Amino acid sequence: MTDGKSQNELTQLAEEALRAQPGCETARVRAVAALPDGQVGRNWEIPNVVLGDSLISDVDRAVLSVHRRLGRQFHLV
């Protein structure tokens, strides 16, 4: 069972988790978006990330990790 979060809440959680990843301290999550036909769990995605000074390879790896981890805990309502 996952906890429901609003788009703003989930965006903030995703950004904090992303910035905590090595090499991603300057990255920013603009917003999370609902997936079409998503029911619960990973019914959202992180479509756009502002890199800042972070390397795209670091951010790509971190986004996958953050989405996998947070998707097990939260769903978008």
Side-chain angles (χ1 to χ4, degrees), residues 13-21 24 27-29 49 59 62-63 66:
L13 286 168
E15 183 168 326
E16 289 169 2
L18 180 66
R19 286 183 165 204
Q21 297 292 309
C24 299
R28 279 192 50 223
V29 174
V49 175
V59 173
V63 165
V66 164

Side-chain angles (χ1 to χ4, degrees), residues 1 4 10 13 18 20 23 25 45 51-52 56 61 70 72:
M1 189 82 172
L10 198 49
L13 286 168
L18 180 66
E25 296 82 9
E45 64 181 348
L51 296 176
I56 194 164
R61 173 196 42 75
L70 293 181
R72 291 182 185 134

Side-chain angles (χ1 to χ4, degrees), residues 16-74:
E16 289 169 2
L18 180 66
R19 286 183 165 204
Q21 297 292 309
C24 299
E25 296 82 9
T26 60
R28 279 192 50 223
V29 174
R30 290 234 144 156
V32 297
L35 290 172
D37 302 320
Q39 300 299 318
V40 293
R42 292 181 209 151
N43 68 342
W44 55 277
E45 64 181 348
I46 304 171
N48 296 310
V49 175
V50 178
L51 296 176
D53 293 331
S54 303
L55 298 175
I56 194 164
S57 58
D58 290 340
V59 173
D60 283 345
R61 173 196 42 75
V63 165
L64 293 172
S65 175
V66 164
H67 184 255
R68 184 173 34 253
R69 185 169 39 94
L70 293 181
R72 291 182 185 134
Q73 298 173 330
F74 306 108

Side-chain angles (χ1 to χ4, degrees), residues 5-14 32 44 74-76:
K5 296 288 182 187
S6 71
Q7 185 176 20
N8 287 338
E9 291 171 321
L10 198 49
T11 298
Q12 184 176 2
L13 286 168
V32 297
W44 55 277
F74 306 108
H75 66 272
L76 184 60

